[in-house]
Amino acid sequence: AIATRNVKKGQVLTLFPIHALGLRNLHADNGNEEFVAYDHEKDGDLFKRESQRATKLNIQLDVEEPAHSVLGNKKDIGLFALCLPQKEVLPGWLGGVIKATSSAAVEESNCVTLPLPGAAPLCAVVATKDIKEGDEVVHEVQMQPLEQNALDELKSTLAKDYRREISTLRLHVEMACEMARSLAPETAEEVEPLGPFHQINLRYPNLQQIHKDPDIFAIEKFLTENECDGIIAKARPHLQPCVVYKQEGGEKAERDSWRTNTNANLPQAEVPTVVQKITELACCSVEQLEILQVLHYEKGQQFKPHTDGFSGPYSACGFEQSTRLATVFCYLNDVLEGGSTYFPEIDLDIQPRRGTAVIHFPADENMREDTRTLHQGKPAIDDKWLLTTWVWKTERTDEAFAESKLPRLSNVII
């Protein structure tokens, strides 16, 4: 860009394109990853791909600036910009296509991008020295914060010489920010991190952590071959289509369309050694365990993506105003094809192996659901058998779900 007229120090050369400006946390460990782009859907990916071309203005927004409130409770909000010559050039918005140089070659530069006082995040390219007609306009890319005295001087000149223009622009910025606030979710406050989660016995034999945050553990040979075979033999004659229960009262509803497999309830009294293993692993009482279920998947049957947790206190399956803190399931047979358990949010795929147990945590101790534990039982090709239960925060109290009322599957005790 070549100057078409003489420009004095402190004068505005051009406005900086709004599509090339963003807000970010000045002290974010991940650099430009934490930002707001003005057309995120259109330009968000471009900001990430072109982050090395960002002019890191590192100018903290005053709390009086309209845009400061858009980011809610985030602190140390600063401006950053991109030099994007491939973007469409609009009259009066040439800041993104002016030749840029780093602060190491500051002698070559003669202008810099600054927020308009009172109308930030709108920015102007301002002359840092006198520029003569015919001179090349060279933009300084600020890799470090501007020297405060120089910044204050330029901002003072802008505020004085362009008071009327900035006042008009501020009205537009305020309207835009008000619209952004009205469209934003009401949860403007920072979300408290999940946790703590239910503590299990980390010294349990063969326990291995297969994923961290969210934590997922596996235990090979948790059940013996005889236990696996005995449970399958018990459940096979009693399999029924899976159903869902209404929250209050445990009344049966229609067949669960989300899962197409069959299941059978397994009384704890028929598998005391298995129950003891689960309570020792999960550090819980037998009263905290949901009714044990044996699940069977034939070819093509599946359990679509779901979470096991609830958002807040929940009453179901014999528990009152409680929630599931841990999921424990064990594969009862080897499955060579299909039927894996897949966690799409963390891209974790677990292939069924006889006797292997898995434990994860669908909600924290404060009864907040962890949606990262979304998982599914992929469509089966070979038969798949599982034993599953859930550890609740409180004990089971509804007599309708008492162990004593469960029908016996067989007289064999495992």
Side-chain angles (χ1 to χ4, degrees), residues 389-410:
T389 188
W390 295 268
V391 179
W392 284 69
K393 185 176 177 67
T394 58
E395 296 185 349
R396 201 187 327 166
T397 57
D398 188 342
E399 284 299 315
F401 289 85
E403 287 287 325
S404 60
K405 294 189 176 182
L406 293 177
R408 180 179 289 273
L409 298 186
S410 74

Side-chain angles (χ1 to χ4, degrees), residues 322-343:
S322 186
T323 197
R324 290 167 169 170
L325 296 181
T327 297
V328 183
F329 62 86
C330 186
Y331 299 110
L332 302 178
N333 69 315
D334 290 322
V335 181
L336 299 180
E337 290 190 82
S340 63
T341 305
Y342 181 57
F343 293 77

Side-chain angles (χ1 to χ4, degrees), residues 14-299:
T14 176
L15 294 178
F16 205 95
I18 194 69
H19 62 236
L21 289 170
L23 301 175
R24 68 183 180 92
N25 187 329
L26 292 180
H27 303 296
D29 293 335
N30 53 359
N32 284 338
E33 289 300 313
E34 186 177 356
F35 67 85
V36 173
Y38 292 98
D39 190 343
H40 193 278
E41 181 178 346
K42 185 176 180 181
D43 296 317
D45 289 340
L46 188 60
F47 270 87
K48 290 185 177 181
R49 292 199 307 269
E50 302 289 343
S51 60
Q52 72 277 8
R53 302 178 68 179
T55 66
K56 299 180 181 179
L57 304 175
N58 285 346
I59 299 173
Q60 190 165 346
L61 288 185
D62 296 332
V63 294
E64 293 83 6
E65 297 285 359
H68 193 279
S69 62
V70 174
L71 272 73
N73 291 333
K74 294 184 182 298
K75 299 178 180 179
D76 296 329
I77 302 165
L79 283 160
F80 72 102
L82 289 179
C83 295
L84 301 171
Q86 68 270 43
K87 297 291 288 187
E88 180 182 357
V89 177
L90 301 175
W93 298 78
L94 304 177
V97 295
I98 293 175
K99 178 182 176 180
T101 184
S102 70
S103 54
V106 67
E107 294 300 324
E108 300 178 13
S109 67
N110 49 27
C111 62
V112 69
T113 296
L114 288 178
L116 292 175
L122 288 180
C123 288
V125 180
V126 182
T128 55
K129 60 182 69 172
D130 292 344
I131 302 174
K132 296 181 180 179
E133 182 180 351
D135 286 352
E136 184 177 20
V137 179
V138 181
H139 186 281
E140 180 185 346
V141 177
Q142 292 292 327
M143 302 307 293
Q144 299 295 333
L146 286 174
E147 199 277 323
Q148 190 62 44
N149 290 337
L151 173 62
D152 290 342
E153 181 184 353
L154 289 172
K155 288 175 67 176
S156 177
T157 301
L158 276 173
K160 177 182 177 182
D161 294 349
Y162 297 92
R163 179 178 57 84
R164 180 177 299 177
E165 291 85 349
I166 290 175
S167 178
T168 301
L169 289 172
R170 181 183 175 91
L171 292 176
H172 292 282
V173 172
E174 287 178 340
M175 286 189 290
C177 291
E178 182 62 34
M179 180 177 295
R181 285 191 294 268
S182 66
L183 294 176
E186 294 183 1
T187 55
E189 296 183 0
E190 292 184 4
V191 177
E192 183 180 351
L194 290 172
F197 289 89
H198 180 73
Q199 293 297 309
I200 64 171
N201 181 7
L202 296 177
R203 295 184 178 181
Y204 196 92
N206 297 327
L207 181 74
Q208 291 184 326
Q209 186 166 10
I210 59 176
H211 194 276
K212 185 175 178 62
D213 194 26
D215 293 344
I216 302 177
F217 298 87
I219 309 96
E220 293 184 357
K221 299 180 180 179
F222 182 74
L223 297 183
T224 66
E225 292 185 2
N226 287 337
E227 286 171 332
C228 292
D229 293 343
I231 292 172
I232 292 175
K234 270 180 171 293
R236 191 184 295 273
H238 303 280
L239 294 172
Q240 299 289 332
C242 292
V243 297
V244 291
Y245 291 88
K246 296 179 181 179
Q247 179 174 352
E248 302 298 336
E251 182 183 345
K252 281 188 178 181
E254 60 186 36
R255 181 171 178 173
D256 187 358
S257 62
W258 211 244
R259 48 181 176 169
T260 55
N261 59 296
T262 53
N263 74 333
N265 291 332
L266 176 61
Q268 293 182 6
E270 296 186 35
V271 285
T273 60
V274 174
V275 173
Q276 183 178 357
K277 289 180 180 181
I278 294 174
T279 55
E280 288 180 0
L281 167 66
C283 296
C284 67
S285 67
V286 294
E287 291 80 9
Q288 286 177 266
L289 295 179
E290 192 170 324
I291 293 174
L292 303 179
Q293 294 184 28
V294 181
L295 309 178
H296 179 225
Y297 294 81
E298 295 180 337
K299 183 176 181 179

